[in-house]
């Protein structure tokens, strides 16, 4: 019963554990590390790989981990599908934006969305995203989860966006912050160093910082300029420097040197009508401005001719600012060479272009502000929806716990009732068994006086006729039988070996008493371990006694066979008591047999219930030919008995 109770309690504990098992067993940080260390193989499609991760409750039940997966899907789309990239990046941002920590992933998402907005020409929206990434760095400049290189890129992106919106002084400050992380970079990274020094120099010119600082950054630009393109920029920047210092001849040398570096490329581009970089157009505008200031009309005319030819190239993509820059240079040209009519005419056009540019900028700003507002509204709506879903999930979890506890209580009650029922049933079964044992003992006490009297009479006869050996042997058998009856009758189960010995003593005594008018044989297979098998005591003797007292009439040689066999297929022990007597034919004998048989039958039924193995009791009798009693009972070994 204790085993059953233990099993029930363990089962209930398992049910409760399975109901209460939540994702909180594994921390968000552990799951994030697990996701970061998980990568698709070269053969796997990255997008499908990460989308498959969204089907795993282990990851999607944690919103931070889910945000990481969304951001990896966005990165997998990259530039191949900008709309999908933006959609998944926004989903990731909604989930992670208000969660403390995870700054590296947040800055990556902000920067990615800023690049998408830049790609679409949404300069204000891009600036908004870059600014949010920058705010994370400003809040914790020494944050270790973001590398120095990534910090530099965040400040550079933000600085470049401020140029587009006209905040030049802020550009200088942001680029200086980027410069502060250069010492943390390993050797090399010349392209990144070149970008930082170039941007500090250009924004420093706008801010009009002192010339020594400008010279310092020019030297840094020269040291980091590795490619021919970067070296060309270096010469143009040096031309800017001398132009600001009013050293126009020196400026002219550097402008000209820089432009001559791509003369051959320009000729090919003009001839083949292929893409001309917009920077190249601006460089000639700078050179034109220098020529005008120096009063070199022919030189200026030559440059204007090149610029006009470049404008006619359909592959060049010039912005409003590029056109205005050229127009302002032409205004300087007309004013310097005293063509005032064209100067005023062009001034009006420049004013119109400037106003148009301003209107477009304002319209774009309004549209992007509306877009940003809409994005924030969408994010708020999604956050509210997520909170609602989370609240519903929490409520469902509470309901789940309540149901689990309710089921647990019901199961405990059922278990207690089952245990009480089992205990009551066991008690009733035990009472029945004790009743049967008592009846068996009572029956034996009724039979024993007659048997003892007859045995003593036989012993007296042997002594009277002076047969001491037989008398001693008979007395020895009788004493052993009495001792075994006294000892074994108190036990619930005895070994088959003890039962066989008792029956052997009993039959031997009866054989001597009836002067060997019957024979007997007890057949037990050699492989049967009779000392390790147990049966109820005095189960066989009543049937043997019936055979002797009621089955024989003294007219022929009689015989009793007791066969014991093991039925391995059914895990049963079969005991057969076979005699060649007169059979069952008179009512008194039948009644006497029936009493011992009914008690044996009840004992066998109790055994069957206790050990969950079927038992059987059958009598086969034919008048004049004998009777066979067949008992089948469970095989009970020493371990079961204990």
């Amino acid at each position: 019963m204790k085993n059953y109770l233990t099993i029930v309690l363990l089962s209930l504990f398992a049910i409760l554990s399975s109901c209460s098992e939540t994702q909180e067993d594994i921390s968000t940080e552990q799951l994030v590390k697990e996701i970061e260390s998980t990568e698709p193989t070269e053969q796997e499609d990255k997008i499908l790989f990460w989308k498959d991760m969204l089907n795993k409750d282990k990851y999607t039940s944690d919103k931070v981990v889910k945000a990481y997966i969304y951001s990896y899907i966005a990165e997998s789309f990259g530039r191949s599908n900008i709309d999908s990239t933006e959609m998944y990046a926004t989903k990731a941002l909604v989930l992670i934006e208000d969660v403390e920590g995870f700054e590296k992933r947040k800055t990556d998402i902000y920067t990615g969305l800023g690049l998408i907005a830049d790609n679409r020409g949404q300069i204000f929206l891009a600036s908004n995203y870059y600014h949010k990434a920058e705010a994370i760095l400003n809040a914790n400049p020494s944050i270790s989860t973001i590398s120095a290189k990534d910090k530099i890129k965040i400040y550079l992106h933000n600085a470049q966006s401020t140029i587009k919106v006209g905040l030049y002084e802020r550009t200088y400050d942001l680029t200086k912050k980027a410069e502060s992380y250069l010492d943390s970079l390993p050797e090399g990274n010349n392209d990144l160093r070149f970008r930082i020094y170039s941007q500090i120099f250009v924004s420093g010119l706008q801010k009009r910082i002192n010339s020594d600082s400008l010279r310092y950054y020019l030297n840094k630009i020269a040291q980091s300029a590795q490619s021919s393109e970067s070296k060309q920029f270096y010469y143009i920047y040096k031309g800017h420097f001398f132009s600001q210092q009013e050293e126009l001849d020196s400026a002219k040398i550097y402008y000209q040197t820089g432009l001559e570096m791509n003369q051959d490329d320009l000729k090919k581009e003009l001839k083949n009508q292929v893409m001309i970089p917009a920077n190249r157009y601006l460089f000639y505008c700078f050179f034109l401005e220098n020529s005008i200031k120096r009063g070199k009309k022919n030189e200026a005319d030559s440059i204007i001719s090149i610029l006009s030819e470049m404008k006619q190239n359909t592959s060049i993509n010039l912005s409003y600012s590029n056109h205005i820059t050229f127009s302002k240079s032409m205004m300087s040209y007309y004013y310097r060479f005293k063509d005032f009519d064209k100067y005023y005419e062009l001034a009006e056009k420049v004013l119109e272009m400037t106003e148009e540019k301003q209107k477009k900028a304002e319209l774009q700003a309004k549209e992007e502000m509306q877009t940003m507002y809409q994005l924030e509204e969408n994010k708020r709506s999604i956050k509210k929806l997520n909170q609602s879903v989370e609240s519903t999930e929490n409520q469902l979890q509470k309901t789940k716990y309540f149901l689990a506890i309710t089921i647990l209580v019901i199961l405990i009650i059922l278990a207690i009732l089952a245990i009480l029922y089992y205990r009551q049933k066991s008690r009733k079964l035990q009472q029945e068994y004790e009743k049967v044992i008592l009846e068996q003992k009572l029956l034996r006490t009724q039979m024993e006086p007659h048997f003892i009297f007859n045995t003593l009479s036989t012993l007296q006869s042997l002594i009277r006729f002076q047969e001491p050996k037989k008398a001693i042997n008979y007395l020895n058998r009788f004493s052993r039988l009495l001792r075994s009856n006294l000892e074994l009758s108190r036990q619930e189960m005895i070994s088959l070996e003890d039962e066989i010995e008792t029956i052997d003593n009993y039959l031997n005594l009866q054989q001597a008493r009836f002067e060997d008018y019957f024979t007997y044989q007890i057949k037990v297979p050699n492989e049967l371990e009779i000392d390790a098998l147990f049966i109820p005591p005095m189960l066989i003797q009543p049937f043997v006694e019936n055979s002797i007292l009621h089955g024989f009439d003294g007219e022929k040689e009689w015989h009793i066979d007791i066969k014991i066999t093991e039925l391995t297929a059914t895990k049963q022990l079969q005991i057969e008591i076979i005699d060649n007597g007169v059979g069952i034919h008179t009512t008194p004998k039948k009644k006497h047999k029936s009493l011992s048989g009914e008690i044996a039958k009840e004992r066998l039924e109790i055994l069957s219930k206790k050990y969950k193995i079927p038992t059987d009791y059958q009598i086969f009798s034919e008048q004049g030919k004998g009777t066979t009693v067949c008992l089948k009972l469970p095989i009970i070994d020493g371990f079961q008995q204990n």
Side-chain angles (χ1 to χ4, degrees), residues 289 292 327-337 343:
E289 192 72 33
I292 294 168
S327 298
K328 286 183 176 180
S329 296
M330 290 304 298
M331 284 176 61
S332 299
Y333 173 84
Y334 292 134
Y335 187 83
R336 178 64 186 261
F337 300 113
Y343 170 80

Side-chain angles (χ1 to χ4, degrees), residues 9 99 128 187 214 289 314 321 337 436 470 499 582 597 600 617:
L9 291 176
V99 180
N128 176 59
E187 290 297 323
L214 292 173
E289 192 72 33
T314 55
S321 297
F337 300 113
V436 171
K470 286 186 178 181
E499 180 74 359
V582 297
Y617 161 59

Side-chain angles (χ1 to χ4, degrees), residues 165-259:
V165 297
L167 302 174
Y168 299 109
E169 288 195 5
R170 177 162 162 73
T171 301
Y172 178 82
D173 295 335
L174 288 168
T175 316
K176 287 290 288 182
K177 286 183 179 180
E179 183 192 16
S180 67
Y181 292 101
L182 281 178
D183 290 338
S184 301
L185 285 180
E187 290 297 323
N189 289 288
N190 287 315
D191 289 343
L192 196 56
R193 295 176 191 275
F194 177 83
R195 284 180 60 191
I196 293 173
Y197 295 134
S198 297
Q199 202 152 278
I200 292 176
F201 175 80
V202 172
S203 57
L205 282 174
Q206 296 284 343
K207 194 175 180 180
R208 294 192 173 276
I209 63 174
N210 64 73
S211 59
D212 289 337
S213 295
L214 292 173
R215 286 181 187 276
Y216 169 80
Y217 286 111
L218 275 174
N219 289 332
K220 289 291 185 182
I221 292 170
Q223 291 170 13
S224 57
Q226 301 293 319
S227 65
S228 58
E229 184 181 6
S230 60
K231 288 177 181 178
Q232 183 185 31
F233 272 95
Y234 164 69
Y235 289 120
I236 299 300
Y237 292 153
K238 205 157 187 181
H240 288 342
F241 173 75
F242 284 111
S243 289
Q244 192 183 66
Q245 302 299 317
E246 298 297 328
E247 297 181 32
L248 300 178
D249 290 334
S250 296
K252 180 250 181 179
I253 293 171
Y254 287 108
Y255 281 136
Q256 195 167 16
T257 303
L259 291 171

Side-chain angles (χ1 to χ4, degrees), residues 63 66-68 70-71 86-99 105-111 113 128-129 132 136 375-376 379 382-383 386:
K63 66 179 183 180
K66 193 174 183 180
Y68 268 75
Y70 278 140
S71 67
E86 182 183 35
M87 179 184 72
Y88 282 103
T90 303
K91 283 185 175 182
L93 185 61
V94 169
L95 291 172
I96 203 172
E97 190 171 28
D98 295 332
V99 180
R105 185 49 39 183
K106 288 182 190 177
T107 56
D108 286 346
I109 295 170
Y110 284 133
T111 302
L113 288 170
N128 176 59
Y129 285 126
K132 287 185 176 182
I136 293 174
L375 283 172
E376 291 300 321
K379 283 198 289 184
I382 294 171
K383 285 176 183 176
N386 287 339

